[in-house]
Amino acid sequence: MGNVENPVAGSAAEAVRETMDGFQLVIDALKLNGIDTIFGLPGIPITDLTRRAQAAGIRMLSFRHEQNAGYAASIAGFLTQKPGICLTVSAPGFLNGLNALAHATVNCFPMILISGSSEREIVDLQQGDYEEMDQLAIAKPVAKAAYRVLRADDIGVGIARAIRAAVSGRPGGVYLDLPAKLFAQSMDAEAGRRSLIKVVDPAPRQIPAPEAVTRALDLLKSAKKPLIILGKGAAYAQADAEIKQLVEKTGIPYLPMSMAKGLLPDTHEQCASAARSYVLPEADVVMLIGARLNWLLSHGKGKTWGGKSGKDWGGQKFIQIDISPQEADSNVRIDAPVVGDIGSCVQALLAGMSAGWSRPGNDWLGSVAERKSKNVEKMTETLAKNPSPMNFHSALNVVRDIVKANPDAVFVNEGANALDFTRSIVDIYKPRKRIDVGTWGIMGIGMGYCVAAAAVTRGQVIAIEGDSAFGFSGMEMETICRYNLPVCVVVMNNNGVYKGTDVNPTGGADVAPTVFVKGARYDKLAEAFGGVGAHATTPAELRKAMEEAIRSRRPTLINAVIDETAGTESGRITSLNPTAKKK
Ligand code: ADP
Ligand code: TZD
Ligand code: MG
């Protein structure tokens, strides 16, 4: 052994002990735990960490803004069940990453934000250090857990705790604060290696209580009009075969939440998406699998659920399968909570169902099927139209075909109309193939998600982006081109937020707050970085450009010109707008 920098190493081996610095300990601790990718942005004090991570064989993906690296890390966590790692510099870099950390926590995605930080003794006395900030305190309210490591021999424990906190129980965002001085600390290499921890069973199975399973099955058996709702927790759990078996064995109609689409193919005969506004108020027993009764499900009450008005309860009984014991009763009474990991819970339910399980009555299934086919028919008619200029429907009709032909591609989606129309029109065929704005309806996840999805799956990515949504992360087109990722971005360009037709009521020179440059050519942005740009004004042009992007696997940005009058205010969530509320 011996120190390679020491020319007398060997003969004087005993006098010159091999040492290891903080940088190396962090890298070794991550590698020991199977972390193979870091999403980040270099600078003081972590530049050498990015270099040495790359040298050590970790894929170090550098972004143009930490927020996008953070979103990438968060969705890598969702896709892999391993914490996605985002690495940033101190104060401003940390704050740029913080939004993504909050997003990870809110969406139950495992992620670790690792930020360098400045001199503790100067920061704590507020003496004005370079990028001074008490980052740990600021991260805490939005993180599932937050830790700081001050000593090199604690790096192993720090990273082990961060991993465990991120992935065990309800997953979430974890902050790990690594002060600059830590990286330069060195310790005896052998002791350093011994200080590292390979986390054993980071996300232990959580088996539901037998009586909870029986209670749930009894309730489900009593139902005349049962409904299953699959949420992104079910997609995250990777219990795809069991979930499919449960749905099919019960014969119960199901609704996939946005990121649970594809858990079973959207074309499945039990999929009730096209009859959503019928099944929610009509159902008598609803089984939630990894879905919260938050705003996306109108809190389980009100008119959506057949309640007479605002907050009235529709009278449904609920079974809720969730890993968080605190989730039940958050909005309405949960009659049968089943607490555990989804794989174990679904297995237990399957085991408890007798062989002669009777499917729901034909009156329920028949009336769901009837609504469905009526709505599908209406949609087919709308999609077949070919208006000029192209609108969301005629463009999405193309996207729908392309996704059908490429079911393994990961589909990224953000915007308002560009999100809501896409979600209902574009079918998804496989689990975890649709990733989007999530629980907050956040704009800006787009290009970070594209990079992560391409990195994790090594396969094709297709993104449908509102023109406003795209702007939040558009500069990462350079990142996509730099790493030559097979990403096809389609910007649904309707000249603005929701639409491009608002006018400034004063008649002044400034355009309305929701309006952008008319006729912008987003495709040029890809060309600037050596990618492919395409300009599509008709469905035929869009189809050709998308097919070519997928055939070539080259980074591509298609500017799809959409009728600027086609959108509606806030897409499908107009009712949440205070103006609409006032009326
Ligand atoms: P959606 O937005 O699709 O409705 P939510 O994010 O609201 O989904 O809900 C996801 C739920 O899934 C959370 O309550 C979370 O605790 C739960 N969850 C996440 N992972 C698991 C798992 N492995 N097992 C059980 N529940 C899980
Ligand atoms: N900022 C962030 C971070 N998230 C948000 N959701 C918003 C602002 C508000 N917002 C929406 O909710 S959708 C949207 C904004 C700015 C953009 C809609 O415009 P678009 O889509 O061009 O992306 P459409 O197709 O024109 O509706
Ligand atoms: Mg728009």
Side-chain angles (χ1 to χ4, degrees), residues 392 415-418 441-443 466-469 472 494 496-499:
F392 285 102
N417 294 280
I442 208 167
M443 296 300 116
D467 51 336
S468 165
F472 287 75
N494 63 349
V497 176
Y498 312 138
K499 43 183 153 180

Side-chain angles (χ1 to χ4, degrees), residues 255-544:
L255 279 181
M257 299 300 287
S258 194
M259 281 174 56
K261 278 165 69 79
L263 214 39
L264 291 89
D266 283 338
T267 46
H268 196 283
E269 66 159 336
Q270 284 169 256
C271 180
S273 293
R276 189 181 195 272
S277 60
Y278 175 72
V279 291
L280 288 178
E282 283 294 317
D284 59 355
V285 173
V286 178
M287 179 156 74
L288 300 157
I289 308 184
R292 289 171 286 188
L293 283 176
N294 56 16
W295 70 279
L296 287 157
L297 283 169
S298 309
H299 308 282
K301 55 196 166 192
K303 285 187 176 156
T304 308
W305 291 87
K308 285 193 191 62
S309 66
K311 291 203 147 196
D312 280 349
W313 182 32
Q316 286 83 1
K317 296 206 154 159
F318 288 98
I319 300 163
Q320 185 160 33
I321 302 179
D322 204 288
I323 200 149
S324 166
Q326 280 167 278
E327 187 53 40
D329 306 326
S330 55
N331 284 279
V332 294
R333 180 192 312 126
I334 301 298
D335 302 86
V338 183
V339 175
D341 74 89
I342 284 168
S344 301
C345 292
V346 170
Q347 274 169 22
L349 288 167
L350 280 166
M353 286 168 63
S354 55
W357 181 271
S358 48
R359 300 163 68 88
N362 278 336
D363 37 347
W364 175 232
L365 297 183
S367 47
V368 176
E370 195 183 312
R371 305 284 151 151
K372 233 179 102 170
S373 62
K374 250 190 222 149
N375 290 337
V376 168
E377 211 171 289
K378 249 191 264 166
M379 182 59 90
T380 311
E381 249 169 60
T382 314
L383 291 179
K385 287 180 191 152
N386 191 0
S388 180
M390 178 159 71
N391 64 9
F392 285 102
H393 290 87
S394 57
L396 288 169
N397 189 36
V398 171
V399 176
R400 176 185 159 97
D401 289 348
I402 301 281
V403 171
K404 187 174 183 183
N406 298 279
D408 288 311
V410 177
F411 191 78
V412 176
N413 190 198
E414 62 177 333
N417 294 280
L419 176 88
D420 292 337
F421 285 127
T422 305
R423 187 176 48 235
S424 57
I425 292 169
V426 176
D427 291 326
I428 304 292
Y429 299 87
K430 295 193 177 182
R432 293 170 297 286
K433 294 301 183 192
R434 185 190 153 89
I435 50 182
D436 65 25
V437 298
T439 304
W440 267 350
I442 208 167
M443 296 300 116
I445 48 89
M447 297 307 103
Y449 273 22
C450 286
V451 172
V456 162
T457 66
R458 309 243 161 206
Q460 181 69 44
V461 179
I462 298 169
I464 300 299
E465 300 272 314
D467 51 336
S468 165
F470 176 72
F472 287 75
S473 67
M475 195 62 197
E476 302 297 346
M477 207 53 219
E478 189 275 333
T479 310
I480 290 168
C481 291
R482 179 167 16 109
Y483 294 114
N484 196 24
L485 301 173
V487 174
C488 171
V489 179
V490 180
V491 174
M492 302 291 239
N493 188 357
N494 63 349
N495 296 340
V497 176
Y498 312 138
K499 43 183 153 180
T501 50
D502 275 11
V503 289
N504 178 345
T506 70
D510 291 350
V511 296
T514 54
V515 171
F516 295 151
V517 166
K518 303 263 181 188
R521 292 289 300 271
Y522 290 95
D523 48 316
K524 302 277 182 200
L525 199 58
E527 288 172 3
F529 305 118
V532 178
H535 183 62
T537 57
T538 64
E541 287 169 356
L542 178 58
R543 189 181 301 271
K544 185 161 167 279

